[in-house]
Every structure is written in C-alpha cells, then in structure tokens.
Amino acid sequence: MAAGVLALWGCGGEKQEKASPDGKADGSNPSDRGGGARPTELGAMTIGFSQLGAEGDWRTAETDSIRGEAQRLGVSLKFADGQSRQEKQISDVKAFILQDVDAIILAPIVETGWEPVLRDAKRANIPVFLVDRGVDVSDESLYVTLIASDFVEEGRLAADWMAYELGGKANIAELQGTVGAAPAIDRKRGFAEEIAKHEGMKIIASQSGDFRRSVGKEVMEGILAAHADELDAVFAHNDDMAMGAIEAIARHGLEPGVDIVVVSIDGVRAAFEAMVAGTLNCTVECNPLLGPKVFDAIRRHATGEELPKWIRVEDQVFDQTTAADVIGSRRY
Ligand code: AHR
C-alpha cells in the first residue's frame, strides 16, 4: 500500500492519496493508512527500527533493550544497522516505508538532513518515533515524539561536578562525540555554559573522538603530546572515549583519575569498573534502556493518545564515592 502511495506522490509531487474505507483519506488520522486501519495492538504490529550503528557499549545496550522488548511484546521488529552512515539510515527508512511497516523507530546519527525522508513517512501515514537523539526539522509533525535524555543538562552536570572537585580551576581537554550529532552538540553547549561561570576553568583542547574508544585514545594521545604539562582534566562526551583517554594517559606515564581527572557521560558497566579501579572520576548517566518507553509510546499513539513532543529520560550522576555500592545493580 505505501509503495502505491509513494508512487503517486513521486509523479509531479501532486497529492493523490487513495480513499480510505470511510472515504476520508486526508492523512490526518494516524491510524488511517489510506486503505485500512493500522493495528492498535503491539502484538499485531510490524515495526522498523533504524539504528545508527554499533559504535560502543551504550549503543549495544540500547539495541538490546529495543530488540528484547519487541520480543517480549510479540512485536515483529525489522532491524536495520545504519553502519554509522546517514545515507544508509535514510535508505533503511525508505525501505521500511516501502514495506508499509506500522511504525518506525529512528535513532538518527546526526541532527540535520532528515526532512525529506520523514515527509515520505508522513505521506505514507507511518508514524516515526525518535529514540535517544533528536532531529532538526522545520515541521515538528514529522515525528510523533522524541524519547531521550537531556543532553544539555548532562553537559552541565559534568561541568558542575568537575568545577566543584577542582575548586573552579582547571585546564580541560574535551573529547567531543560524532560531529553533527545531537548529544555532541548539546553536551558541548551545556558544559561550556556551566564552566563559563568559573574564570579558572578553560577548555584548552577540543576534538571529536566520534564516540569511539579507539578514536578517543588516538585523539587523547595527540592532546597529551601537546598539552600534558598543563592538563588537569578530561571531559569526554561518552564513556567509551573516556576509556580510550584513560589508556592514553596511562601510556603517557601519568595516572588517570589522579594526575588527570576524567569525567564522562553514559554510565556503562566499564565506567563503573573504572571508577572502582580509580581511573575514572565521574560519569553522568544517560540511560539507553529505551525499549519499554518507546513501545509504550507507540501503543499510546496507536490508541489515539496525544503524546508530548519530548518524553524525557531522567538520569543521575555517579562518582567514585558511590560506584562500588551500585555497580552490582547496573543493568548495562
Ligand atoms: O546518543 C547517545 C550517545 O550516543 C551516547 O552517549 C553514546 O555513547 C552514543 O554513541
């Protein structure tokens, strides 16, 4: 059905939607697919999940959460790995539209460039649910809701912890996430806003480590080569890059967590192990266990409930004082 609808749209861009059984196929009803109603029960749905890739532990935890919850609920889930390329993700979403899935879950690699494919989904009356990262679009009706943490706040919390522990004075190296990704943009902004309140806190080097451990390590080696003598702290936009930085600091003959304070974001198991070992000082949680939340949102939308544009995920701050006590209860 969607293929037919898309083909009609493809010719000259004129709207020629087929009439629904009640004759009111204006596309305004989320359960109106032009030829019949979409299921309202999750167990009867086929849902496409476009994951951006598998760059680290956090991403794997998110994928497992969504796949596991789909299985538990009896949802038929079509999974597509974007392999860290937006073009691949866009073609994955297009394929879901052609297959006329009942909903699309999208974890977008970067913020911009989604408008055309989201319009295609809207024309085919397929609701899109964003998980973990937001998009920059002129028309918010192109997606139902975003289920995600507050990345700006995460950056602020990391800066507050660092400012307090280092007495408002530190030369900082920042390892940024993927260029153009919402968490990289927002965490950078939140951190910068907060350290600006302390005259003695300065970012002396800032580079992208693409949210990857190996790149974080490589970038950190370069930063140490230029700034080891003056560096007090590292702010890594995720735990994976922090783990890479810790390796680089140790290889440089310095003690991570002591000579150079390391603060990151995510709260994956490796971060808790590093805090217990004393090499990581603090992690701001970013919860990847989004499966239950996204399927709950899809169910509520299918039964006609109006959802907020942002379903905010609450997070906590952990440091070495609490790591040993909570590590046993961590689920990712
Ligand atoms: O979008 C969430 C971020 O993406 C996580 O912090 C990070 O680990 C991942 O790459």
Side-chain angles (χ1 to χ4, degrees):
M1 171 54 65
V5 171
L6 284 177
L8 290 173
W9 270 92
C11 299
E14 281 160 67
K15 190 175 181 185
Q16 299 176 42
E17 272 173 348
K18 278 178 88 178
S20 65
D22 62 4
K24 294 183 205 154
D26 61 1
S28 59
N29 179 350
S31 64
D32 176 2
R33 66 208 303 199
R38 293 201 178 279
T40 53
E41 297 212 353
L42 288 169
M45 291 186 194
T46 297
I47 296 176
F49 173 27
S50 166
Q51 176 57 287
L52 65 89
E55 72 281 8
D57 292 354
W58 190 99
R59 187 70 40 201
T60 306
E62 184 193 52
T63 299
D64 290 350
S65 172
I66 292 174
R67 284 183 132 163
E69 190 65 5
Q71 202 173 13
R72 195 183 73 77
L73 295 165
V75 172
S76 162
L77 191 76
K78 290 175 182 286
F79 178 78
D81 179 350
Q83 296 165 4
S84 300
R85 289 186 292 118
Q86 186 180 28
E87 318 80 76
K88 167 78 167 60
Q89 269 203 290
I90 289 173
S91 74
D92 291 340
V93 173
K94 284 184 176 167
F96 290 148
I97 296 169
L98 288 170
Q99 291 163 52
D100 194 24
V101 295
D102 297 307
I104 293 172
I105 301 171
L106 171 64
I109 183 157
V110 290
E111 270 190 345
T112 56
W114 296 101
E115 200 131 348
V117 77
L118 292 181
R119 284 202 186 287
D120 289 346
K122 190 176 176 188
R123 281 171 194 143
N125 290 324
I126 299 175
V128 175
F129 296 79
L130 302 176
V131 283
D132 100 68
R133 296 185 183 182
V135 294
D136 188 357
V137 285
S138 60
D139 175 4
E140 280 208 329
S141 77
L142 294 178
Y143 63 90
V144 177
T145 187
L146 161 69
I147 298 157
S149 295
D150 184 339
F151 297 140
V152 177
E153 182 63 10
E154 289 171 350
R156 286 193 194 116
L157 290 169
D160 284 347
W161 190 94
M162 199 183 268
Y164 181 79
E165 291 298 317
L166 296 177
K169 203 171 171 308
N171 286 330
I172 305 158
E174 179 184 37
L175 299 179
Q176 298 178 39
T178 303
V179 176
I185 296 166
D186 292 350
R187 287 170 184 168
K188 181 170 185 51
R189 195 182 107 207
F191 188 83
E193 269 174 23
E194 216 48 31
I195 65 162
K197 296 176 184 165
H198 305 272
E199 229 177 85
M201 296 191 77
K202 281 189 274 323
I203 295 177
I204 59 168
S206 182
Q207 242 177 283
S208 172
D210 200 25
F211 282 130
R212 292 171 193 276
R213 182 177 184 140
S214 58
V215 188
K217 181 175 173 215
E218 203 181 298
V219 168
M220 192 65 210
E221 280 166 356
I223 291 174
L224 285 165
H227 301 283
D229 293 348
E230 48 177 344
L231 202 60
D232 302 303
V234 172
F235 167 47
H237 287 193
N238 80 346
D239 289 340
D240 281 278
M241 292 189 296
M243 296 305 117
I246 286 168
E247 273 184 63
I249 294 166
R251 278 183 62 152
H252 201 85
L254 294 166
E255 214 180 321
V258 178
D259 296 325
I260 296 180
V261 164
V262 185
V263 176
S264 62
I265 294 176
D266 276 356
V268 299
R269 181 162 303 280
F272 278 84
E273 286 165 0
M275 286 192 291
V276 172
T279 54
L280 178 73
N281 301 82
C282 168
T283 186
V284 178
E285 186 185 43
C286 177
N287 194 332
L289 306 178
L290 303 180
K293 287 188 170 60
V294 71
F295 289 110
D296 183 56
I298 293 170
R299 181 190 54 76
R300 286 161 60 198
H301 174 75
T303 52
E305 199 179 314
E306 184 87 20
L307 297 178
K309 245 18 217 184
W310 180 18
I311 297 175
R312 190 180 148 154
V313 179
E314 296 300 330
D315 300 310
Q316 301 174 55
V317 178
F318 297 98
D319 64 15
Q320 292 178 358
T321 62
T322 51
D325 293 336
V326 296
I327 191 168
S329 63
R330 300 298 295 169
R331 290 171 51 219
Y332 62 95

